Amino acid sequence: MVPKLTPWFALGLSVLPAAAQQHVPSVLEGAGADPRISVSQPETTSQASGGYVRSVEPSLGPLGDPLAIRPALKARGIEYSLTYIVDVLGNPVGGLRRGAIVEDRLNLRLNLDLDRLAGWQGATVHANAYFIHGTGLSRYYVGNLLTTSVIEALPSSRLYVLWLDQSLMDGKLGIRIGQQAADTEFFVSQTATLFVNSTFGWPAITGLDLPSGGPAYPLAAPAIRAKYVPGNGFSLQVGLYDGDPAGANRPGDDPEAQRLDRTGTNFRLRDPALVIAEATYAYNIAPGSKGLPGDITLGGWQHFGRFDSLRFDITGVPRADPNATGIGRPVRGNAGLYAIYDQTLYRESGKDDEGLGFFVRAAWSPTRSSLIDAYVDTGLAYKGLFDGRDDDTAGLSFAYARIGDDAQRADRDTILYTGLPMPRRRAEAVIEATYQAVVVPGFTVQPDAQYVIRPGAGIAGPDGRRLRNAAVLGLRATVQY
C-alpha cells in the first residue's frame, strides 16, 4: 500500500466535523456520461463533460435551502444546480507580456424529468446557461494556443445547451436532439477533468481545426446524437452537428466567433455538417471485479464544409506573395482520428474512488485545412494522496500540439517574400501541475502551475523574436450548489 503524506498546505483545511467528512461513495456515472472508471476523477471540474457531483448546500445549514423548495421541486421532476468558478492567473515570465487576470463563470443547470412532469416515459430536458466575466490570460498576455483556462471566454451571458433526450430499448439507446456541445460527451478522459488548461477538455486539435472552435465551450450547435449501450462495457455514439456554431468560417475576414453569437441563440441549421463518432470499451467496472477499471476509446470526425487554404490564395499563388488576392483557395473538408486510454493504476484498499489514474489521448488530422495535424496529451492524477485528505486530488499532465505542414510552409513563404528573418511555427506544449483541495463537499480551492513551451507554437513577439516560454501561476476556487 502506498503510504499517505501529510503536507503543510493541507493542515487546517479540515473544517468540517468528523461525521461530515466521512467517505461518500462515488457515483456510477463518470465524466462524459460513461461508466465511472477513474478513481481520481476530481470533486469539482470546469470541464463541460464533468457534470455535477456534490453540493455545498448541506454545509450551509438552514441557509442552504431556507424555503425547502429543492426537495419539493425534485419530487415533481425539476432539478437545478449552480456552479461558480473564479480563476486568478498570472504569467510572471514569458508570453506576449507579463500580467495577471481575474475571470469567473456562473453556470446554471436545469433538468426536467418529463415522466414525472407530464407522464412522458424516458424523456428528459436539459438546459445550461453561462454568465462569463473577466479577461483571458491567453488572449491578452500569454499568446498561446493551448488556452490557459477552460473557462476563458469573452464576457457574455449565453445559453450553452438546450436538448431533449429520449431513452429507448430499456435504456440501451438514447436519442438526443437540440442545441448540444460535443465536448460534453466526445473525446473525454475522466482523469483529465482535473486540469485547468482547456486542452485537457476539448483538445486543441479540434478547437483550432474546426470552424468557430467546433461545438464546444463557449459555443454549442444544433445537433442530433444517438448513443447505444448494449452492455458488457461497450458503447457506441455518433453525433450530427451543424458545422459552424457561429458562422465565422466564410470567405474573407474571419470575425471573432463569440461576437457573432453573443447569446448562444443563433441556432444555425444551414452550414455543412460535422459528424463525430466514437466507440468505447470499459472493463472491470462490474461490482466485485478483481482487475482495475479502465476504458479504451476510438473515434473520429468529418467536417463536410469548405475551408480556406492555409498557404495558397484563390489563384494558386502563396498567400504571402504581395500580388496575392488575400482570399484563400477553397479546401474541401476536415477530418481526424483519435484514441483515448484511461486507466486506474492503483486503488486504495477498501476504497472505490481513491488512488492513481492515468490517461493518454492522441489525435491525427492529415487534411490540408488543419492548423494542428498531430496532438497528444497524457497525465497522472491521485485522489486521496495525503493523510486525512481523502477527497483531494493531485495531478501532473503534459500536452503537445504540432503545427500542420501547410501552415509551416506558409511561414517559410512569408520569410521568402519579405526577406525578413522571423521564427516559424512548429509546435506548442504545456506542462501542468495542480492540486485540488476540498474545503467542504462542493467547495474546492485549486493552486495551479503551468509551463508553456513555445507560446503560439513559436510565433514572433513585438520584438520580432520568438515568444519566450511562459510560466503561469494561479488559484481556482469552485463552489457547487
Side-chain angles (χ1 to χ4, degrees), residues 153-319:
L154 294 179
S156 63
S157 297
R158 61 172 60 249
L159 176 69
Y160 186 43
V161 298
L162 175 61
W163 45 254
L164 167 71
D165 189 278
Q166 178 65 59
S167 178
L168 304 167
M169 299 173 58
D170 294 326
K172 293 183 178 180
L173 177 63
I175 304 296
R176 183 171 294 178
I177 187 167
Q179 177 146 300
Q180 303 179 53
D183 61 339
T184 63
E185 297 183 287
F186 292 90
F187 221 148
V188 174
S189 162
Q190 294 180 17
T191 305
T193 57
L194 169 68
F195 297 99
V196 172
N197 192 288
S198 68
T199 199
F200 298 108
W202 186 240
I205 192 169
T206 45
L208 294 171
D209 288 355
L210 295 174
S212 304
Y217 176 81
L219 300 170
I224 182 169
R225 188 275 284 151
K227 185 171 185 177
Y228 180 56
V229 186
N232 297 320
F234 289 97
S235 65
L236 175 66
Q237 60 179 348
V238 58
L240 174 64
Y241 298 82
D242 180 272
D244 193 343
N249 190 43
R250 57 188 181 217
D253 293 335
D254 189 14
E256 169 60 56
Q258 294 177 52
R259 292 192 177 101
L260 287 174
D261 187 5
R262 294 177 180 272
T263 61
T265 55
N266 279 9
F267 304 129
R268 298 179 63 86
L269 294 170
R270 297 184 179 181
D271 302 294
L274 167 67
V275 176
I276 309 178
E278 69 176 32
T280 299
Y281 172 58
Y283 47 88
N284 296 330
I285 57 175
S289 296
K290 294 183 179 180
L292 295 173
D295 65 26
I296 298 172
T297 298
L298 298 176
W301 73 89
Q302 173 67 58
H303 194 290
F304 294 93
R306 290 184 178 271
F307 295 74
D308 288 345
S309 171
L310 300 171
R311 187 184 183 193
F312 296 106
D313 82 344
I314 198 168
T315 65
V317 303
R319 299 181 69 167

